[in-house]
Amino acid sequence: QVQLVESSGGLVQPGGSLTLSCVASGRASTMAWFRQAPGKEREWVATIRRGDNKKVYADSSKGRFTISKDNVKNTVYLQMNNLQPEDTAVYLCAAASGNLILSSMSRKEQYGYWGQGTQVTVSS
């Protein structure tokens, strides 16, 4: 079993930055961030593999978001820069016990463990 606890999100002005963290209670080989805006499907943001540090990003995240990890602290981070109103959503940390292949990383059904989610609001 893996339990995930995200840090608090918050209110950010357009163009601002925010870093989210997610602490895992157990070992997870693949961790990811998803987001869900009101009335929309859950959307994949980025994934990182514990062993080889492979990072993969959704097109909407590339160039603005950075996923990273600290294996000692069992924590994954999502640094978000140049945030825009369309980034407003509940951000959720997800984990898979095994190493996901590239083609599976964006699929939410591949992740067996989820955090409770944290609200990020981008508004002036």
Side-chain angles (χ1 to χ4, degrees), residues 93-104:
C93 179
S97 298
N99 284 312
L100 297 184
I101 59 176
L102 290 179
S103 61
S104 297

Side-chain angles (χ1 to χ4, degrees), residues 78-110:
L78 184 69
Q79 181 181 347
M80 303 182 289
N81 296 325
N82 191 24
L83 284 162
Q84 300 300 318
E86 54 266 32
D87 295 314
T88 295
V90 173
Y91 283 71
L92 302 106
C93 179
S97 298
N99 284 312
L100 297 184
I101 59 176
L102 290 179
S103 61
S104 297
M105 285 182 175
S106 63
R107 298 170 58 187
K108 56 184 180 292
E109 61 269 21
Q110 296 294 321

Side-chain angles (χ1 to χ4, degrees), residues 40-82:
K40 293 189 176 181
E41 292 288 322
R42 189 165 295 185
E43 176 189 20
W44 172 64
V45 175
T47 295
I48 187 167
R49 280 197 305 228
R50 179 186 178 94
D52 60 3
N53 205 36
K54 179 68 177 178
K55 304 175 186 180
V56 183
Y57 296 92
D59 288 343
S60 59
S61 308
K62 287 178 184 176
R64 298 189 302 128
F65 294 2
T66 301
I67 191 169
S68 62
K69 61 178 174 61
D70 183 328
N71 288 343
V72 173
K73 295 181 179 179
N74 233 12
T75 300
V76 66
Y77 303 93
L78 184 69
Q79 181 181 347
M80 303 182 289
N81 296 325
N82 191 24

Side-chain angles (χ1 to χ4, degrees), residues 13 28 36 105:
Q13 291 190 338
Q36 189 163 16
M105 285 182 175

Side-chain angles (χ1 to χ4, degrees), residues 18-37:
L18 185 68
T19 298
L20 303 177
S21 63
C22 172
V23 180
S25 64
R27 183 184 177 100
S29 294
T30 308
M31 296 187 72
W33 288 96
F34 286 75
R35 66 185 183 184
Q36 189 163 16

